[in-house]
Amino acid sequence: MLPYCLGCPSWSEAAWRGGLYPDGAPAADYLALYARVFNAVEGNITFYARPSAATVQRWAQRMPAHFRFCAKLPREISHSADLRLQVTASRAFVELLAPLGGRVAPFWLQLPASFGPARLGELTDFLARFERPLAMEVRHPAFFQRGAEERALNRLLRDAGVERLCLDARALFSCRDDTPAVRHAQAKKPRLPVRPAALTAFPQVRFIGHPCLEANDPFMAPWLDKVAAWIEEGRQPCVFLHTPDNRLAPELARRFHAQLTVRLPGLPALAAFGGSQLDLL
C-alpha cells in the first residue's frame, strides 16, 4: 500500500494499450487494469457529464477499497452563476456516487477564472453546506498575487477544512514543440503561479508535464521534496501526472514514483505495466 495517492487524469485512454494495458485489452477492463498499478484517478469524467447509476455501480465493482476517485463536481454546479443555488444539485451528485463510499475522497470543485474575490461570501455559504471532504482549484488571477484576496481565500479554505488544489503547468509551458497536442494543451491549461498548499491532511497536486519525459525532472524535483515531506508529516498527498495528449501520463507517473523512492527508500514498487487480464480474475 502506497502512503500517498498516485494516478493520471483518467483510466479510459485506448492509446495506453501496449503500455499500461495489454495489447487488445477491451475498454471494459481498463479501470481494473489501471487500478492494478495506480491507486487514484482524477474524476474529470464527472465534470463533463454525470454518470448513470448503473455506471457508478460498475465502477464500484472494479475499484479496490483503497482506491481514490477524486470526482469533480459537474461544471453546471462549479460554473454556475451562484453556488448557493447549487446545494441541492451538489447533494444529488454526492448521493449518485454513494456506492463508491470512501473511495470518493476528496471531491473536487474546479472554479472558473471568472470566480473572483467578490464571490467569496457565496463560496463560504456553499462550503458550509457541502458536508464531504473537498479540494478546490481556483483560477482567478487575484488569488495568486499574495495579497489580501489570496490570504482571505486561504483562510476561508483552512477554516472550512477544504484543500487548495495545486496546479503546476510550468513544464508544459516550457515546451517549444509546435505540435497539435502541445498547442491544444497550452491553450487549455491556465498559466498561473504555483501555490504548494497543504491546508489539510490530503494535499492535492496536478502536474501538467512536458512531452519529453526527461524534461520534466527539474520541474518535478521540488514536488518530490514536498511530497516526501508531506508523507513524513503523516499527510496523504494525491499526485496526478498529465502530458499534453496524456499518451505518456502513466510513464510520467511511474517516473515520479521512481524518483520519490530515492527520497523515501522502502516505498513499495508499482506493479508492472501491461499485466495480463488473467490477473483480474
Side-chain angles (χ1 to χ4, degrees), residues 16-266:
W16 295 347
R17 284 187 290 193
L20 179 60
Y21 305 145
D23 283 320
D29 287 349
Y30 287 175
L31 174 54
L33 289 164
Y34 175 95
R36 286 184 63 254
V37 178
F38 299 115
N39 64 354
V41 71
E42 286 189 18
N44 286 328
I45 188 172
T46 59
F47 181 72
Y48 297 103
R50 285 178 172 83
S52 68
T55 295
V56 175
Q57 289 290 348
R58 287 196 297 272
W59 292 347
Q61 293 167 5
R62 290 169 169 81
M63 288 180 184
H66 68 274
F67 194 82
R68 291 294 174 263
F69 178 65
C70 297
K72 284 186 183 179
L73 294 177
R75 59 183 168 183
E76 60 263 29
I77 294 176
S78 60
H79 287 50
S80 66
D82 191 331
L83 282 175
R84 291 168 294 196
L85 302 179
Q86 298 297 325
V87 172
T88 298
S90 67
R91 288 174 176 167
F93 179 66
V94 169
E95 183 61 28
L96 173 64
L97 297 188
L100 299 179
R103 286 168 286 196
V104 185
F107 285 85
W108 280 7
L109 176 64
Q110 180 181 295
L111 296 175
S114 60
F115 195 106
R119 299 181 68 181
L120 285 183
E122 168 192 336
L123 178 62
T124 300
D125 291 346
F126 178 84
L127 295 181
R129 301 166 71 182
F130 190 86
E131 300 173 349
R132 292 292 189 279
L134 185 68
M136 196 177 76
E137 181 181 319
V138 292
R139 296 186 173 186
H140 193 285
F143 295 135
F144 295 86
Q145 295 177 356
R146 301 193 185 280
E149 293 92 346
E150 183 170 5
R151 289 193 295 272
L153 170 70
N154 290 341
R155 185 166 53 250
L156 166 60
L157 298 183
R158 184 185 63 244
D159 292 349
V162 174
E163 189 54 77
R164 179 172 178 175
L165 196 150
C166 313
L167 174 68
D168 186 353
R170 292 174 298 175
L172 169 67
F173 286 107
S174 75
C175 182
R176 298 294 179 262
D177 294 354
D178 188 24
T179 64
V182 170
R183 288 199 304 270
H184 176 76
Q186 290 178 341
K188 187 177 180 181
K189 301 299 182 186
R191 193 168 191 172
L192 293 165
V194 178
R195 290 293 184 267
L199 305 178
T200 70
F202 47 91
Q204 308 283 303
V205 178
R206 298 178 71 207
F207 183 92
I208 318 298
H210 193 288
C212 174
L213 295 181
E214 295 80 2
N216 291 290
D217 290 351
F219 298 97
M220 289 198 306
W223 287 116
L224 291 160
D225 294 337
K226 182 70 69 174
V227 169
W230 285 337
I231 292 172
E232 291 177 329
E233 291 169 4
R235 303 180 195 263
Q236 188 182 39
C238 292
V239 183
F240 299 100
L241 288 300
H242 300 229
T243 55
D245 57 8
N246 287 321
R247 286 177 176 268
L248 293 177
E251 284 75 12
L252 184 57
R254 180 169 59 183
R255 188 178 187 88
F256 183 93
H257 183 72
Q259 294 183 18
L260 184 62
T261 301
V262 175
R263 289 160 171 81
L264 294 175

